[in-house]
């Protein structure tokens, strides 16, 4: 059953069974492999061989997540990811590439991706990463111990993973939700970059990936990201979320 935003209600309540994944890769063999493997594990799959085909799919349906090849002819995966984020698409995006160096992963995060997996990869690792991002995207069950955090004219509900403003919900990617959730659960407390990397499952990529996510999140919550009021840097220690009006 589809939610009002076009995604499966099952994903929204924490379940990933039946989630709809869009696989975009110009290699037909890999597309077939992923389609078969992910279908066997309970996902519904749409496939596209190019960025243009992916845009056609997104024109009439909203998947729960996207697995996207970087090195496609024409519009590559990085360009498509950046464009989708600029258009307000907030679904989790996992990039695939033959180039698996840390700098390449940073490029993917800067473009707006939530994760990055180098080829060749184990399908099981892809499956586990997809499930983790889908669960992260779905808000946890409400808890009486979690309070709404005010950030100027915005409000973030850690229990629901929802950022809202005067005009309604603010689009956040799965990675941005995860970062804000981690900070909002410990307001006014300094979190070291290595601790944030651990909480966001970014230890393999390194602490610079945390800086990239912080920069992206500041664009969402700060009146002036160059002079942050709420998500502040504590030199030599880490980051701290300071709620307020």
């Amino acid at each position: 059953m589809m939610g009002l935003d076009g995604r499966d209600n099952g994903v929204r309540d924490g379940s990933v069974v039946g989630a709809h994944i869009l696989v975009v890769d110009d290699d037909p063999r890999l597309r077939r492999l992923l389609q078969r493997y992910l279908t066997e594990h309970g996902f519904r799959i749409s496939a596209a061989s190019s960025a243009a085909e992916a845009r056609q799919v997104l024109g009439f349906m909203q998947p729960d997540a996207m697995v996207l090849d970087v090195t496609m002819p024409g519009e590559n995966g990085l360009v498509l990811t950046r464009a989708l984020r600029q258009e307000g698409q907030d679904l989790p995006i996992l990039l695939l590439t033959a180039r698996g160096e840390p700098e390449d992963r940073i490029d993917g995060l800067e473009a707006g991706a939530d994760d990055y997996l180098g080829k060749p990869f184990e399908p099981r690792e892809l499956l586990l990463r997809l499930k983790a991002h889908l669960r992260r995207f779905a808000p946890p069950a409400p808890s009486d111990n979690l309070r709404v955090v005010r950030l100027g004219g915005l409000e973030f509900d850690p229990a629901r993973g929802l950022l809202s403003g005067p005009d309604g919900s603010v689009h956040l990617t799965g990675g941005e939700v995860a970062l804000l959730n981690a900070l909002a659960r410990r307001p006014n407390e300094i979190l070291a970059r290595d601790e944030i990397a651990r909480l966001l499952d970014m230890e393999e990529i390194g602490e610079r990936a945390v800086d990239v996510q912080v920069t992206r999140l500041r664009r969402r919550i700060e009146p002036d990201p160059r002079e942050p009021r709420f998500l502040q840097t504590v030199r030599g220690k880490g980051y701290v979320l300071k709620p307020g009006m």
Side-chain angles (χ1 to χ4, degrees), residues 5 71 94 157 172:
D5 62 355
T71 55
L94 190 154
D157 185 346
L172 295 177

Side-chain angles (χ1 to χ4, degrees), residues 26-27 52 68 88 104 130 145 184 213:
D26 64 321
D27 183 343
L68 175 61
D104 297 317
L130 268 177
N145 296 325
Q213 290 284 24

Side-chain angles (χ1 to χ4, degrees), residues 96-225:
L96 302 177
T97 183
R99 300 179 301 176
E101 295 301 318
E103 285 301 315
D104 297 317
R105 300 186 183 195
I106 293 297
D107 289 343
L109 293 174
E110 287 180 333
D114 294 285
D115 207 345
Y116 203 102
L117 194 58
K119 297 179 181 179
F121 58 87
E122 287 292 332
R124 178 165 172 75
E125 182 178 3
L126 173 66
L127 175 68
L128 293 174
R129 287 176 182 249
L130 268 177
K131 287 183 174 181
H133 287 295
L134 288 166
R135 291 194 179 102
R136 183 180 293 165
F137 191 90
S143 168
D144 293 337
N145 296 325
L146 298 176
R147 297 182 179 180
V148 170
V149 175
R150 295 294 301 271
L151 302 168
L154 302 174
E155 291 186 350
F156 181 69
D157 185 346
R160 299 169 60 203
L162 180 65
L163 180 67
S164 58
D167 300 323
S169 297
V170 177
H171 288 292
L172 295 177
T173 67
E176 290 164 354
V177 170
L179 174 58
L180 186 51
N181 216 320
L183 294 165
R185 287 169 180 265
R186 295 160 66 178
N188 299 305
E189 180 179 340
I190 300 171
L191 297 186
R193 294 161 76 216
D194 60 349
E195 181 177 7
I196 296 174
R198 179 179 57 79
L199 292 171
L200 301 188
D201 195 24
M202 287 183 171
E203 293 170 292
E204 182 182 347
I205 308 176
E207 295 178 8
R208 186 181 164 198
V210 173
D211 299 335
V212 171
Q213 290 284 24
V214 166
T215 299
R216 284 170 47 182
L217 182 58
R218 279 174 172 161
R219 295 191 189 115
R220 309 287 193 179
I221 67 173
E222 297 286 357
D224 182 357

Side-chain angles (χ1 to χ4, degrees), residues 23-28 30-31 48-50 67 69 72 96 119:
V23 176
V24 187
D25 198 299
D26 64 321
D27 183 343
L30 182 58
R31 286 201 310 275
S49 62
S50 66
V67 177
D69 185 30
M72 298 184 294
L96 302 177
K119 297 179 181 179

